[in-house]
Amino acid sequence: MATDDKMIDALIGRMTLAEKIGQLTMASANMATTGPLEGNTWDSEIRDGTVGNLFNLFGPAETARVQAIAVEQSRLGIPLLMGFDVVHGHRTIFPIPLGEAAAFDPDLWERTARQAAAEASADGLNMTFAPMIDVARDPRWGRIAESAGEDHWVNSRFGVAKVRGFEGDDIADPTCVAGCAKHFAGYGAVTAGREYASAEVSERTMEEVYLPPFRAAVEAGVASIMPAFHDLAGIPMTAHVGLMRDRLRGGFGFTGVAVSDYCAITELIAHGIAADDAEAAAAALLAGVDIDMMGFSYARGLPVALSRGLVREADIDVSVRRVLELKLRLGLFRDPFARGATRAGAANVVLAAAELPSSGPAEVREPLVRNPSTAIGPRDYALAREAAARSMVVLVNDGVLPLDTSRGLGRLVVIGPIADDPGAVLGSWSGAGLAEEAVSYLAGLRKALPHWSVDLAPGVSVTGDDRSGIAAAAALAAGADVVVLCLGESAELNGEGASRLDPGLPGRQADLAAAVFDAGRPVITVLTAGRPLIAPIVFDRSAAVVMAFAPGTAAGDALADILTGRADPSGRLPVTWPAKLGQVPIYFGQRPTGRPPADNNRYSARYIDGPVAPLFPFGHGLSYTTFHYGTPVVDRTVLRRDETLQITVEVENRGGLAGRATVFIFTRDAFASVARPLLELRGAVQVDVPAGDVRHARLALAANDLMFLGHGLSPRFEPGTVEILAGASADRAKLLGVPVMLED
Ligand code: GLC
């Protein structure tokens, strides 16, 4: 037996039941609130071994202090897991995932995760609760903001890139943290977009859409998984033996730690599948949930469950082993203080004496230095600025963009409640990010246009009813050469617990917009939101519309880069943008039905009072130049089961500016043993094309990737014709295709 196994066996052999359950307990500290129960300090519980893991804390001093209690003062000296929601940055905040997904660049996604991990580990953390890879197709659901959008192929690649960024080649590296793929699974399908509601999803759709990103994350080696709050067809995910144990661990081969969501084990009682803590604890443990996050149902319920025979101590030992193995893999037994404050010697800021841990091992009490990466350095900021610019999507442009900054003085008026709100641009999981370190849209525009006059009028607040500022804003707009109208959501209006019945412009922003448009000057509307907004006035009357999502610390500089053309707008929508809320859920991968929508046919899958087509399709986004996409060229017209198809798409830049094109490659299997989606995304290939030049996007597509789930959900490779389609978005009318014959 390997040394590590022996060490873990010996340790488990020495543990009392209370200490074992302590390793299965994670308590919230009080540096952030992310759930219904307030956090606390847990020094005595760490000391007596009944709390073996913490979250919602950060900082070299505090993490060193509590780790020292665990390592120096508890009976067995087992180090703590210390986690935090580093979802889109730690101190340097990057775009929210839905925004970063718009960059369609796994390399960028990995680089920002790497930076986030370096900053989080420098703050003493060894675990993050990310990536969130829940496919999301309903803008009423606030957590669409945290996802990589509507498609499983995108969420899969987003999740893999994030896991690689967080975990590196070995999570023992003190600049790495354990990732946590969440929320397993189908959370994005909550009924009517209502947070925490039930999800009714067919087995087929679970297997084809909601589970693949988690399989990909497991194959990428993700260290932990978090089951979701909801029940799937009546079985809460936290107790879902079929998916948590059989599919995730048995089928996907996941051997890591499953950490419940916040109080989710205790909430099995509210779900109605457990009468008390003992039944809730037994149900979750037997489903393979190893750690009870903040509910303390394991602490209260497992001893009783044991006495009732609902679980055996061997079942508890299985989970204890997985937790200890994770701590071992993280290198915590070797050096529990490797992450966090670095030893004295570097010419950095030295923590004030008051910040030094009052107790703990002698070496921790040396003069500690704050690791430079816990402050935003120029390199970190440059990455934030790149990611933010590449997350922005130009939805509409009548030619007003890019701004003509070549002439002398211009008069720019920046209007709206988000214009100078650095908090709104940090988004819903802003980690250790500081609003005062973020660059607002106004600040960025003033820096970029030093010779212009740039005036501000908030007009209204984000959600208030006060309209008294509208007249002044409209009057200011009337005297402008161009207006930048900054509207949308504050960070509190999206993310967890932020489902919206009417995902449009909050408060009196539409009234402000109407008055500004009536002033008669060209208006560039910048939307900051965690979801596609249903805002017809914006799209009917703006000269240009930029979807900025929530761009993070570098928001203002990135927006200025886009509006002035310093950066070519290469962002493309990772979600379909509904024309009407009644269309939701709307996404490109729908099935054809037996009566496809036809405007002039009552007896078809249409609406009688509005369009079936979205306002903007998945993949939509304008550049400042004009790309022309050729018909895909394939290296063979017959593809056998063990072969790979080489696909090439020519992209011509017919405009006057260089730009970055994203070529989306889909397949359509029109006739098969089950009805197949109208489009299936197989690739998103970016090519930089100089003005007037031609480049080629290339994709290798293995025949086996065209297998699908037949009757009984059995994987099938079916001979027959498959169409390879390519273009700038999922707008079917603009895709060009070529048929390929699949043969056994
Ligand atoms: C929250 C979220 C989850 C997060 C956890 C810890 O309730 O659902 O995504 O990681 O609690 O903060």
Side-chain angles (χ1 to χ4, degrees):
M1 179 182 280
T3 312
D4 291 346
D5 286 344
K6 281 184 180 171
M7 187 277 267
I8 289 176
D9 279 349
L11 192 48
I12 292 176
R14 295 172 54 205
M15 294 169 83
T16 65
L17 177 63
E19 287 164 335
K20 290 179 180 178
I21 295 172
Q23 288 302 306
L24 308 188
T25 299
M26 181 177 271
S28 176
N30 49 17
M31 297 180 72
T33 301
T34 58
L37 294 181
E38 283 301 314
N40 208 329
T41 51
W42 304 92
D43 294 7
S44 58
E45 291 81 0
I46 295 169
R47 199 169 288 115
D48 68 19
T50 54
V51 167
N53 309 287
L54 289 180
F55 69 112
N56 283 341
L57 74 163
F58 55 87
E62 180 58 12
T63 52
R65 186 188 72 79
V66 291
Q67 193 68 288
I69 295 173
V71 170
E72 296 289 311
Q73 302 173 27
S74 74
R75 187 175 77 89
L76 295 170
I78 300 172
L80 303 165
L81 288 177
M82 292 188 281
F84 194 41
D85 291 280
V86 182
V87 178
H88 50 98
H90 178 66
R91 178 71 175 273
T92 307
I93 303 302
F94 300 108
I96 56 172
L98 191 62
E100 197 182 14
F104 284 95
D105 182 355
D107 173 65
L108 175 69
W109 298 337
E110 182 175 342
R111 284 188 287 134
T112 55
R114 183 89 291 279
Q115 176 61 27
E119 292 183 6
S121 58
D123 259 357
L125 296 165
N126 50 49
M127 184 175 193
T128 177
F129 306 120
M132 193 273 209
I133 47 178
D134 295 306
V135 170
R137 298 167 164 175
D138 190 330
R140 293 170 294 183
W141 189 48
R143 303 198 83 164
I144 191 173
E146 303 171 47
S147 80
E150 74 180 55
D151 182 66
H152 64 82
W153 183 90
V154 178
N155 274 277
S156 295
R157 277 146 191 81
F158 186 86
V160 167
K162 292 301 177 184
V163 168
R164 292 166 54 148
F166 290 137
E167 299 189 356
D169 296 329
D170 181 348
I171 56 174
D173 177 336
T175 66
C176 294
V177 295
C180 179
K182 69 184 188 181
H183 309 76
F184 186 77
Y187 191 10
V190 286
T191 305
R194 189 159 50 84
E195 183 62 290
Y196 313 128
S198 300
E200 294 291 345
V201 184
S202 71
E203 273 192 272
R204 174 175 299 283
T205 301
M206 284 302 290
E207 291 293 340
E208 289 180 348
V209 175
Y210 294 104
L211 289 174
F214 291 93
R215 176 197 287 272
V218 169
E219 287 169 356
V222 70
S224 65
I225 291 263
M226 182 184 287
F229 284 116
H230 68 281
D231 71 274
L232 180 67
I235 303 176
M237 287 312 303
T238 305
H240 204 301
V241 172
L243 286 177
M244 279 296 295
R245 191 190 65 193
D246 302 342
R247 197 85 186 83
L248 176 65
R249 294 191 187 277
F252 295 176
F254 177 62
T255 57
V257 167
V259 52
S260 84
D261 207 332
Y262 206 113
C263 296
I265 295 175
T266 311
E267 290 165 5
L268 294 176
I269 300 170
H271 273 289
I273 68 149
D276 56 21
D277 279 318
E279 289 184 9
L285 189 79
L286 296 176
V289 178
D290 301 307
I291 292 182
D292 173 1
M293 177 186 274
M294 200 53 188
F296 291 92
S297 276
Y298 276 0
R300 293 188 301 270
L302 280 180
V304 178
L306 271 173
S307 65
R308 289 184 197 167
L310 300 177
V311 297
R312 303 162 302 150
E313 186 150 358
D315 299 317
I316 295 173
D317 291 353
V318 167
S319 288
V320 171
R321 173 179 296 280
R322 286 198 283 249
V323 173
L324 295 178
E325 281 171 347
L326 177 55
K327 295 183 176 183
L328 194 66
R329 285 184 58 211
L330 280 163
L332 299 182
F333 284 102
R334 188 178 61 254
D335 180 355
F337 303 98
R339 294 174 178 82
T342 50
R343 296 293 178 269
N348 292 306
V349 173
V350 177
L351 295 180
E355 284 188 275
L356 291 179
S358 54
S359 60
E363 65 272 21
V364 173
R365 286 196 293 276
E366 284 173 359
L368 302 177
V369 290
R370 184 179 295 284
N371 186 302
S373 69
T374 58
I376 298 177
R379 183 180 55 83
D380 319 334
Y381 188 79
L383 178 57
R385 184 168 182 166
E386 175 195 355
R390 294 178 63 187
S391 72
M392 294 180 181
V393 182
V394 175
L395 299 173
V396 173
N397 181 18
D398 71 356
V400 69
L401 292 177
L403 291 174
D404 177 6
T405 57
S406 60
R407 62 196 174 85
L409 187 61
R411 180 120 201 263
L412 180 68
V413 170
V414 186
I415 293 176
I418 312 286
D420 198 25
D421 178 352
V425 297
L426 288 187
S428 47
W429 289 100
S430 55
L434 301 173
E436 55 266 32
E437 290 181 340
V439 176
S440 72
Y441 296 138
L442 175 71
L445 289 166
R446 279 183 167 158
K447 264 199 282 179
L449 300 168
H451 306 302
W452 285 38
S453 74
V454 181
D455 296 314
L456 169 68
V460 296
S461 57
V462 174
T463 55
D465 265 338
D466 179 2
R467 303 170 51 185
S468 60
I470 290 178
L476 202 58
D481 291 320
V482 65
V483 176
V484 174
L485 179 59
C486 302
L487 305 174
E489 297 177 329
S490 58
E492 298 68 36
L493 291 181
N494 56 68
E496 184 178 1
S499 291
R500 292 183 64 196
L501 282 169
D502 174 16
L505 293 175
R508 291 294 185 183
Q509 295 183 46
D511 296 339
L512 170 67
V516 169
F517 290 130
D518 288 348
R521 306 303 299 149
V523 177
I524 299 160
T525 302
V526 178
L527 296 176
T528 298
R531 66 186 97 212
L533 295 178
I534 312 294
I537 185 171
V538 164
F539 297 103
D540 291 345
R541 302 186 63 183
S542 299
V545 181
V546 178
M547 176 55 167
F549 296 97
T553 303
D557 285 328
L559 179 68
D561 291 343
I562 292 292
L563 299 192
T564 62
R566 181 175 177 276
D568 170 58
S570 58
R572 301 290 180 264
L573 289 179
V575 281
T576 301
W577 195 294
K580 299 268 186 185
L581 185 58
Q583 294 176 326
V584 167
I586 183 171
Y587 51 96
F588 70 80
Q590 304 200 37
R591 301 187 199 279
T593 81
R595 293 187 174 182
D599 287 343
N600 56 1
N601 178 356
R602 180 183 185 86
Y603 302 101
S604 74
R606 64 170 193 155
Y607 301 105
I608 60 172
D609 58 349
V612 169
L615 186 61
F616 301 111
F618 171 95
H620 175 73
L622 302 177
S623 170
Y624 291 149
T625 189
T626 309
F627 294 116
H628 176 79
Y629 300 81
T631 302
V633 174
V634 291
D635 68 337
R636 67 198 70 199
T637 54
V638 175
L639 181 65
R640 288 183 177 72
R641 185 170 192 151
D642 59 350
E643 294 178 335
T644 296
L645 185 70
Q646 302 299 332
I647 303 165
T648 305
V649 180
E650 181 180 280
V651 183
E652 183 186 357
N653 182 343
R654 294 182 176 174
L657 294 170
R660 171 170 294 161
T662 299
V663 180
F664 293 97
I665 296 172
F666 301 91
T667 57
R668 167 68 179 137
D669 184 353
F671 300 98
S673 54
V674 297
R676 307 297 313 289
L678 287 167
L679 289 174
E680 294 179 79
L681 184 63
R682 302 294 183 178
V685 183
Q686 293 189 325
V687 282
D688 290 323
V689 192
D693 209 334
V694 170
R695 291 291 184 277
H696 293 87
R698 291 184 172 80
L699 181 76
L701 178 61
N704 276 334
D705 289 346
L706 297 176
M707 291 181 71
F708 64 93
L709 300 177
H711 289 261
L713 300 183
S714 55
R716 287 181 59 81
F717 180 86
E718 275 188 7
T721 300
V722 170
E723 196 171 15
I724 309 296
L725 299 136
S729 75
D731 181 347
R732 185 64 183 77
K734 294 178 182 167
L735 293 176
L736 297 173
V738 61
V740 171
M741 176 63 76
L742 299 188
E743 286 190 0
D744 251 331

